């Protein structure tokens, strides 16, 4: 074994030398071959100290044996200010001391920031409880960046779900906070749910939230101890919201026990490369970790299904790497001493840590509720909060698990005053979070035209690449025959200037419309990336009836595609919020959505989400059924009766309620006019 290790070391050194020589050669010829330094894999770093707990001469409150625990990290990729893309935000559970309690202090969720992929950190603010007097931010914070608009929260909003409780732990509120300025300032958004008992294990709390967006809804999974069928029992549940403020009823995802210690807890969810979803959680009081698989992350099958055990010990975390593989870790102190495990696919995941596709050592070692976050630079960040020691600390490190980088792009369009394209787009690409500067591309000379200037995206000429294409429009006016100078097209060398951390992708591919079989795309042979001025309309929602794409521009080309949506039954079809209309350069009508993207307005592809005509009867068509309410306000306290799928109700009249419609029944109650839940019966 000694000889094998030494041989491996020699080979490893040879590889290092070879890579170093390659890097040197690439650096010498980068100016002529358009190879970027930022495409080379970043080097692992850490451990980096974020926070060190220290109770001093006091003790931590409520008998806690730790001062900090459960760190959570998010990398920003959808920011309105490109300078904020790539930043990391970190928070954790911070316990105050008995002395702090005596002085009237309350706990907070601290927010730390890193702009160098976790090498260094700085404290930027604290999230304080503002909604409930006498409560503090106590435990289980979870960070998430919205990839799309949800209610009054635009794309790029950073949200945090966590428990607020008083210092005596008597009561729990699971609350949602939001920040629209990359974590600098925070505001209360809503209360997801409440629990009346003590915020202690076995005393009816809710905790351990996990957030994600699915099907135009923000989903919050969490552990729920409010069901006392068996003392100390716990279930996995979730709730959803479409507006960030009003949350659905609780949906149970896993509920099984013979004794209280069989309780499932700490859910996290990840999408696999085959399109299915994996939910990992601990069971048997943290003695093992398990996984459930589903086609739909809002429907995990039988609540009694215990899934598949995949690891010893608890506090599991699963996440999807940039290349589609799965990364997993849990509190393995006995056998694997804090390794991170990689699973290539679903088959490998079900074999668990007993036979992983790969395993990687960490410098910070095993930790309770340790977070892992795939970074855009291809490294995996590990956030370690230790266990339950009085002086434990929050640390981070990055490790190389063979992941790929995530690329972003900036697109510069050249158009006349009517939006007609005058020259091929310039597309600059780079790793998300690395810098770009396209200022030099905004003064391109075009024969027969005078430069008017940047007419869209003026604040995005410099910044960091993000997950969403950054589009900039430069506008020109024709040179009049009566005067003015005619400018000539510059040489290729001057028109492809870029920053040292970026590269220009061949722009010829964007000078003509990409071929497509999607019938809602333009068939015009020339494209323009700017449409005529959008006309604002009173916001309304539409649901897709056919397969369609969402685009970053009214010009429907493959280059401008953001996401494709397969055709689904009406009850499961995607929903879009329309805020305006515009037309492409060939006159095709488009819907402008609330996040600034576009879909076709061609008849037959979408239909308004809410029924608008008077009907005699309604039939419930959604598998989950719907509810009757005692008023038009569809909130939990107004719910009167649940209607199962197939139920037919008699209608008295239609009622307009904001952008939605409700129907008053002959019994005086109200039901939704949402086509995904009810169907008109004339």
């Amino acid at each position: 074994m000694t000889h094998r290790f030494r041989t491996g070391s020699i080979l490893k050194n040879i590889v290092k030398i070879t890579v170093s020589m390659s890097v040197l050669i690439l650096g010498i010829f980068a100016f002529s071959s358009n190879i970027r330094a930022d495409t080379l894999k970043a080097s692992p770093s850490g451990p980096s100290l974020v926070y060190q707990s220290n109770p001093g001469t006091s003790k931590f409150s409520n008998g806690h044996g730790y001062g900090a625990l459960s760190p959570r990290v998010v990398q920003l990729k959808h920011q309105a200010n490109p300078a904020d893309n790539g930043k990391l935000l970190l928070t954790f559970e911070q316990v105050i001391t008995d002395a702090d309690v005596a002085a009237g202090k309350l706990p907070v969720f601290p927010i730390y920031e890193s702009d160098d992929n976790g090498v260094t950190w700085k404290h930027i603010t604290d999230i304080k409880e503002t909604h409930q007097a006498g409560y503090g931010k106590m435990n289980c914070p979870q960070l998430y960046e919205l990839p799309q608009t949800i209610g009054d929260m635009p794309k790029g909003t950073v949200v945090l779900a966590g428990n607020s409780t008083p210092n005596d732990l008597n009561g729990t509120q699971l609350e949602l906070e939001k920040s629209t300025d990359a974590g600098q300032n925070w505001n209360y958004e809503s209360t997801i749910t409440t629990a009346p008992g003590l915020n202690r294990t076995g005393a009816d709390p809710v905790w351990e939230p996990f957030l994600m967006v699915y099907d135009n809804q923000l989903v919050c999974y969490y552990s729920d101890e409010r069901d006392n069928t068996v003392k100390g029992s716990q279930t996995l549940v979730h709730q959803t919201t479409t507006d960030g403020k009003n949350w659905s009823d609780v949906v149970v995802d896993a509920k099984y026990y013979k004794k209280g210690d069989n309780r499932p807890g700490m859910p996290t969810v990840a999408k696999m490369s085959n399109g299915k979803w994996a939910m990992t959680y601990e069971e048997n009081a943290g003695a093992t970790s398990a996984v459930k698989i589903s086609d739909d992350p809002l429907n995990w099958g039988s609540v009694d299904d215990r899934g598949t055990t995949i690891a010893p010990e608890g506090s599991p975390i699963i996440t999807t790497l940039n290349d589609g593989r799965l990364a997993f870790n849990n509190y393995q102190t006995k056998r694997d001493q804090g390794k991170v495990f990689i699973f290539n696919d679903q088959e490998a995941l079900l074999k668990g840590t007993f036979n992983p596709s790969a395993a990687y050592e960490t410098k910070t070692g095993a930790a309770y509720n340790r977070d892992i976050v795939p970074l855009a630079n291809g490294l995996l960040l590990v956030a370690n909060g230790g266990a339950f020691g009085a002086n434990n600390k929050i640390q981070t490190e990055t490790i190389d698990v063979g992941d790929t980088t995530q690329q972003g792009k900036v697109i510069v369009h050249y158009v006349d005053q009517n939006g007609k394209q005058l020259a091929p787009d310039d597309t600059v690409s780079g790793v998300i979070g690395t810098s770009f500067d396209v200022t030099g591309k905004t003064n391109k000379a075009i024969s027969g035209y005078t430069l008017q200037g940047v007419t869209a995206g003026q604040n995005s000429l410099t910044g960091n690449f993000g997950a969403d294409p950054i589009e900039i429009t430069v506008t020109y006016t024709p040179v009049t025959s009566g005067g003015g100078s005619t400018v000539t097209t510059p040489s290729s060398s001057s028109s492809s200037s870029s920053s040292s951390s970026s590269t220009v992708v061949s722009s010829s591919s964007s000078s003509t419309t990409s071929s497509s079989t999607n019938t809602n795309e333009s068939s015009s042979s020339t494209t323009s990336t700017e449409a005529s001025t959008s006309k604002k309309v009173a916001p309304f929602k539409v649901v897709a009836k056919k397969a369609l794409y969402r685009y970053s521009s009214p010009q429907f080309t493959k280059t401008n595609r953001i996401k494709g949506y397969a055709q689904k039954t009406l009850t499961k079809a995607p929903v879009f919020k329309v805020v305006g209309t515009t037309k492409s350069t060939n006159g095709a009508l488009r819907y402008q959505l609330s996040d600034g993207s576009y879909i076709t307005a061609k008849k037959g592809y979408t239909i308004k989400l809410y029924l608008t005509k008077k009907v005699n009867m309604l039939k419930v068509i959604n598998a989950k059924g719907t509810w009757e309410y005692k008023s038009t306000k569809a909130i939990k306290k107004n719910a009167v009766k649940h209607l199962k799928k197939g139920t037919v109700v008699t209608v008295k009249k239609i009622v307009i309620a904001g952008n939605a419609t409700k129907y008053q029944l002959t019994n005086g109650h109200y039901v939704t006019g949402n086509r995904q839940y009810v169907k008109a019966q004339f």
Side-chain angles (χ1 to χ4, degrees):
M1 292 182 67
T2 302
H3 289 297
R4 290 179 62 190
F5 174 78
R6 291 170 64 90
T7 302
S9 298
I10 293 170
L11 289 174
K12 189 174 183 180
N13 289 332
I14 292 172
V15 171
K16 284 184 177 179
I17 293 170
T18 304
V19 171
S20 299
M21 291 295 292
S22 299
V23 172
L24 178 61
I25 293 169
L26 289 176
I28 293 172
F29 294 103
F31 71 94
S32 62
S33 60
N34 249 349
I35 295 175
R36 307 187 308 280
D38 61 7
T39 60
L40 302 175
K41 181 67 69 69
S43 298
S45 65
S48 300
L49 179 64
V50 181
Y51 173 81
Q52 174 71 64
S53 64
N54 185 358
T57 59
S58 185
K59 294 182 179 180
F60 290 115
S61 62
N62 294 301
H64 285 112
Y66 58 92
L69 206 65
S70 303
R72 289 293 181 267
V73 180
V74 63
Q75 184 171 40
L76 306 184
K77 301 176 182 178
H78 302 280
Q79 294 301 295
N81 179 0
D84 291 325
N85 283 326
K87 287 183 178 179
L88 304 181
L89 298 181
L90 178 150
T91 191
F92 53 91
E93 181 176 329
Q94 186 178 37
V95 181
I96 62 176
T97 65
D98 288 337
D100 292 330
V101 173
K105 295 182 179 180
L106 292 163
V108 298
F109 290 146
I111 300 293
Y112 286 76
E113 175 190 271
S114 174
D115 58 8
D116 55 12
N117 291 297
V119 176
T120 60
W121 296 88
K122 65 178 180 180
H123 177 251
I124 59 172
T125 192
D126 293 319
I127 303 179
K128 300 178 181 179
E129 174 60 34
T130 59
H131 176 66
Q132 185 70 32
Y135 277 48
K137 295 299 186 184
M138 188 66 70
N139 53 7
C140 303
Q142 179 71 34
L143 284 167
Y144 183 70
E145 182 191 28
L146 295 182
Q148 67 174 73
T149 297
I150 297 290
D152 63 356
M153 299 182 292
K155 177 194 291 188
T157 298
V158 186
V159 292
L160 181 148
N163 282 6
S164 293
T165 71
N167 280 337
D168 64 6
L169 306 183
N170 190 19
T172 301
Q173 296 204 10
L174 180 55
E175 295 177 347
L176 188 73
E177 304 280 341
K178 68 178 180 182
S179 172
T180 56
D181 57 4
Q184 301 294 318
N185 296 281
W186 295 80
N187 293 292
Y188 168 83
E189 177 72 2
S190 62
T191 297
I192 302 169
T193 192
T194 62
L198 285 173
N199 188 253
R200 289 187 182 277
T201 301
D204 302 342
V206 293
W207 42 25
E208 300 163 352
F210 178 83
L211 298 168
M212 74 175 199
V213 164
Y214 175 75
D215 196 20
N216 298 310
Q217 304 169 85
L218 178 61
V219 188
C220 182
Y221 303 89
Y222 59 90
S223 303
D224 188 348
E225 292 197 22
R226 291 172 294 188
D227 181 351
N228 287 307
T229 305
V230 174
K231 186 176 181 180
S233 62
Q234 183 170 268
T235 59
L236 302 182
V237 303
H238 74 260
Q239 291 178 253
T240 61
T241 179
T242 57
D243 61 9
K245 298 184 183 299
N246 299 293
W247 291 83
S248 70
D249 292 337
V250 173
V251 177
V252 179
D253 299 317
K255 174 183 178 180
Y256 57 85
Y257 38 70
K258 294 182 180 178
K259 297 179 180 179
D261 61 3
N262 285 333
R263 41 189 275 148
M266 307 181 79
T268 60
V269 177
K271 190 173 186 179
M272 297 184 290
S273 57
N274 62 1
K276 295 179 182 289
W277 297 82
M279 174 191 282
T280 59
Y281 49 92
E282 67 177 13
E283 57 180 357
N284 299 318
T288 56
S289 294
V291 64
K292 291 181 78 169
I293 307 296
S294 176
D295 293 326
D296 181 352
L298 302 183
N299 183 357
W300 296 93
S302 171
V303 297
D304 298 315
D305 178 11
R306 298 192 64 155
T308 302
T309 299
I310 59 171
E313 303 190 58
S315 66
I317 298 284
I318 192 170
T319 188
T320 306
L321 296 174
N322 302 329
D323 62 13
R325 295 176 300 153
L326 299 168
F328 173 88
N329 77 176
N330 68 326
Y331 192 23
Q332 295 202 27
T333 59
K334 299 174 182 177
R335 185 168 70 97
D336 291 296
Q337 295 295 315
K339 289 181 180 178
V340 171
F341 302 93
I342 304 300
F343 303 112
N344 290 342
D345 49 30
Q346 178 179 326
E347 182 181 0
L349 173 63
L350 294 176
K351 294 178 182 178
T353 64
F354 311 103
N355 187 22
S357 303
Y360 295 87
E361 301 283 353
T362 59
K363 294 179 181 178
T364 52
Y368 174 81
N369 209 4
R370 184 178 66 172
D371 199 16
I372 49 175
V373 180
L375 300 183
N377 66 2
L379 297 178
L380 184 71
L381 182 134
V382 180
N384 187 312
F388 299 94
N391 293 307
N392 58 336
K393 54 192 174 184
I394 305 296
Q395 302 178 89
T396 63
E397 64 175 300
T398 54
I399 62 176
D400 188 348
V401 296
D403 198 10
T404 56
T405 61
Q406 279 187 305
Q407 299 284 314
K409 62 184 177 180
V410 180
I411 306 171
V412 184
H413 309 299
Y414 305 97
V415 301
D416 67 9
Q417 73 275 23
N418 297 316
K420 178 183 177 182
Q421 184 168 339
L422 299 177
D425 296 340
D426 276 330
T427 300
V428 181
S429 65
V431 175
I432 291 173
T434 60
S435 63
F436 66 84
D437 184 348
V438 295
T439 306
K441 295 187 176 301
T442 61
N443 58 4
K444 175 181 285 193
I446 299 178
S447 180
Y449 289 87
T450 299
L451 175 65
Q452 179 179 330
V454 178
T455 54
Q458 180 67 56
N459 297 326
S460 299
L461 302 185
T462 62
N464 296 332
F465 292 103
D468 309 303
I470 298 171
E471 300 199 50
I472 296 162
T473 301
V474 185
T475 299
Y476 298 77
T477 54
V479 175
T480 60
S481 59
S485 59
T486 300
V487 294
T488 58
T489 303
S491 65
S492 58
S493 60
S494 63
S495 66
S496 60
S497 171
S498 64
S499 65
S500 60
S501 64
S502 309
T503 187
V504 178
V505 175
S506 174
S507 57
S508 62
S509 62
S510 58
S511 63
T512 58
T513 303
S514 302
S515 62
S516 174
T517 57
N518 185 354
T519 56
N520 71 52
E521 291 189 25
S522 169
S523 59
S524 174
S525 60
T526 58
T527 67
S528 167
T529 54
E530 294 298 315
S532 57
T533 304
S534 294
K535 178 182 177 182
K536 290 185 177 180
V537 298
F540 63 93
K541 293 182 178 180
V542 297
V543 58
K545 295 180 68 178
K546 295 182 179 180
L548 53 76
Y549 284 95
R550 186 162 54 88
Y551 296 84
S552 61
S553 163
Q555 316 313 318
F556 286 4
T557 68
K558 284 186 177 180
T559 303
N560 293 335
R561 286 179 184 171
I562 297 175
K563 184 177 180 180
Y565 299 86
Q567 184 172 357
K568 294 185 177 182
T569 59
L570 193 64
T571 59
K572 294 184 178 181
V575 175
F576 307 95
K577 184 177 181 180
V578 178
V579 297
T581 59
T582 189
K583 290 184 178 180
S584 66
T585 51
N586 65 351
L589 186 63
R590 314 299 196 200
Y591 283 140
Q592 184 177 23
L593 305 182
S594 57
D595 65 354
S597 61
Y598 300 86
I599 61 171
T600 181
K602 187 175 181 180
K603 186 177 180 180
Y605 279 87
T606 64
I607 189 171
K608 285 190 174 182
L609 179 62
Y610 287 91
L611 296 164
T612 57
K613 295 182 179 180
K614 183 178 179 181
V615 300
N616 296 322
M617 291 181 292
L618 292 171
K619 182 178 181 180
V620 180
I621 60 172
N622 196 287
K624 296 179 181 178
T626 190
W627 284 84
E628 290 184 15
Y629 295 89
K630 60 184 179 183
S631 76
T632 57
K633 194 170 184 180
I635 57 178
K636 188 173 182 180
K637 68 178 182 180
N638 290 338
V640 178
K641 180 182 179 182
H642 183 259
L643 304 175
K644 294 182 178 181
K645 180 181 179 180
T647 303
V648 176
V649 292
T650 306
V651 174
K652 179 180 179 181
K653 64 178 181 179
I654 187 173
V655 179
I656 306 299
N659 298 324
T661 58
K662 311 285 183 179
Y663 285 91
Q664 186 179 32
L665 307 181
T666 52
N667 63 7
H669 298 161
Y670 295 84
V671 297
T672 182
N674 189 319
R675 295 180 192 269
Q676 292 191 314
Y677 288 87
V678 295
K679 180 180 180 181
Q681 302 283 293
F682 294 98

